[in-house]
């Protein structure tokens, strides 16, 4: 059971604008392993050998097979209490935005609507030439490689090594950070840039910054409060405490 200060409760009870950055840690609690596959053939490859344009051009079938392996894992898991709590919080604030480094779509599945996907979405594909997006139609080994009507190759809709983050989502994320009253950093190592700068930006502009992570990060010493543990346990407790605090203020 976590203890929440009156300052934290007051900040969350009175905030008008809330921003959130989520990383792999929140999805690990749903059963999604970190970037590298841990089973079978995928142990033989480095992520850079599978998640890059060079890899895609050299061996598209191998890249597609790896992404299908990852998709099948994601299709079998469900959002956890942290995802559902964030979705509930969204309905209680005039402005609430999640910027996520995850590509699994679990925030949307939990009911969140205002989501900025900084690394794309593995459940979608897109044309490498014109950018048109396609809902994942599945992958079959040996199936002829798919091309867009424009002639471009269709690829997973994720950001690969050596590629920039989507400019629009990144710009919106920094705008959210700059105007947030409260900003969360959840399940992220704070080592992947430029996303790692979002909580720092929020703090710079006066936000009350809350970190929730399994272990300390380079961000821990810069935030207003840092909680070590599972987001799926801490965040629901925190939100319940905020509701009790608000009800108590109303009754006084």
């Amino acid at each position: 059971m976590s203890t929440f200060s009156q300052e934290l409760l007051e900040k969350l009870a009175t905030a008008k604008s809330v921003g959130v950055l989520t990383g792999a840690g929140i999805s690990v609690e749903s059963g999604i392993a970190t970037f590298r596959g841990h089973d079978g053939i995928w142990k033989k490859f480095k992520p850079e050998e599978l998640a890059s344009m060079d890899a895609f051009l050299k061996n598209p079938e191998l890249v597609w097979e790896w992404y299908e392996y990852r998709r099948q894992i994601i299709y079998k898991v469900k959002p956890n209490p942290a995802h559902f709590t964030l979705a509930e919080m969204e309905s209680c604030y005039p402005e609430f935005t999640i910027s996520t480094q995850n590509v699994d779509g679990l925030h949307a599945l939990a009911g969140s609507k205002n989501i900025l996907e900084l690394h794309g979405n593995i459940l979608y594909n897109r044309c490498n030439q014109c950018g048109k997006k396609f809902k994942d139609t599945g992958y079959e080994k040996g199936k002829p490689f798919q091309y867009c009507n424009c002639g471009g190759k269709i690829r997973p809709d994720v950001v690969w090594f050596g590629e920039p983050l989507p400019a629009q989502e990144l710009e919106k994320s920094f705008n959210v950070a700059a105007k947030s009253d409260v900003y969360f950093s959840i399940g992220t190592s704070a080592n992947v840039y430029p996303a790692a700068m979002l909580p720092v930006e929020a703090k710079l502009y006066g936000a009350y910054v809350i970190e929730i992570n399994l272990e300390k990060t380079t961000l821990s010493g810069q935030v207003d409060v840092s909680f070590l543990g599972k987001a799926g346990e801490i965040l629901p407790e925190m939100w319940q405490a905020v509701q009790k605090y608000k009800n108590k203020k109303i009754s006084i």
Side-chain angles (χ1 to χ4, degrees):
M1 181 72 70
S2 300
T3 302
F4 308 107
S5 69
Q6 183 171 341
E7 181 184 23
L8 180 149
L9 297 176
E10 178 68 16
K11 292 289 186 181
L12 281 169
T14 58
K16 301 299 182 184
S17 179
V18 177
V20 183
L21 172 66
T22 63
I26 195 171
S27 293
V28 167
E29 293 181 41
S30 286
I32 298 178
T34 50
F35 195 88
R36 184 191 299 275
H38 293 282
D39 300 315
I41 185 175
W42 307 118
K43 278 187 175 182
K44 302 175 183 178
F45 296 92
K46 295 178 180 179
E48 296 89 337
E49 295 173 346
L50 297 163
S52 71
M53 179 54 67
D54 284 345
F56 182 66
L57 294 176
K58 289 177 182 178
N59 196 339
E61 289 294 339
L62 179 67
V63 172
W64 271 113
E65 193 172 346
W66 185 55
Y67 275 93
E68 181 61 14
Y69 162 79
R70 294 179 64 194
R71 281 170 174 163
Q72 291 307 314
I73 292 173
I74 291 169
Y75 286 139
K76 294 174 184 176
V77 303
K78 297 179 180 179
N80 62 61
H83 292 106
F84 287 118
T85 300
L86 290 172
E88 183 180 343
M89 291 172 69
E90 182 175 357
S91 65
C92 297
Y93 293 102
E95 296 181 1
F96 189 95
T97 305
I98 297 173
S99 299
T100 185
Q101 296 169 291
N102 300 330
V103 298
D104 49 49
L106 289 180
H107 284 301
L109 194 59
S112 292
K113 293 180 172 55
N114 199 11
I115 309 163
L116 298 172
E117 294 175 320
L118 297 175
H119 291 175
N121 189 320
I122 199 173
L123 304 182
Y124 286 81
N125 301 319
R126 77 170 187 268
C127 174
N128 189 53
Q129 186 164 294
C130 72
K132 181 180 178 180
K133 293 193 178 185
F134 304 84
K135 179 65 176 169
D136 175 33
T137 55
Y139 165 83
E140 297 176 20
K141 192 170 184 179
K143 181 179 179 181
F145 194 73
Q146 292 188 341
Y147 288 84
C148 177
N149 290 335
C150 75
K153 291 182 178 179
I154 297 175
R155 54 167 282 182
D157 186 24
V158 296
V159 176
W160 282 334
F161 286 102
E163 294 181 333
L165 271 58
Q168 187 174 16
E169 281 78 1
L170 188 61
E171 181 180 1
K172 287 181 179 179
S173 293
F174 273 99
N175 288 339
V176 167
K179 66 179 181 179
S180 291
D181 300 314
V182 176
Y183 199 89
F184 285 89
S185 177
I186 303 175
T188 174
S189 65
N191 288 327
V192 180
Y193 291 86
M197 286 299 299
L198 290 170
V200 178
E201 184 86 353
K203 183 64 178 173
L204 181 65
Y205 279 88
Y208 185 84
V209 181
I210 303 168
E211 179 185 48
I212 304 175
N213 203 50
L214 285 173
E215 54 190 26
K216 287 186 177 182
T217 70
T218 55
L219 181 66
S220 299
Q222 305 177 60
V223 300
D224 292 280
V225 59
S226 180
F227 295 94
L228 299 182
K230 294 182 177 180
E233 296 174 358
I234 295 171
L235 197 58
E237 287 180 12
M238 184 185 297
W239 188 235
Q240 186 176 27
V242 171
Q243 300 312 304
K244 289 181 179 179
Y245 180 79
K246 291 170 70 173
N247 291 335
K248 184 178 179 181
K249 287 186 67 175
I250 293 172
S251 63
I252 293 176

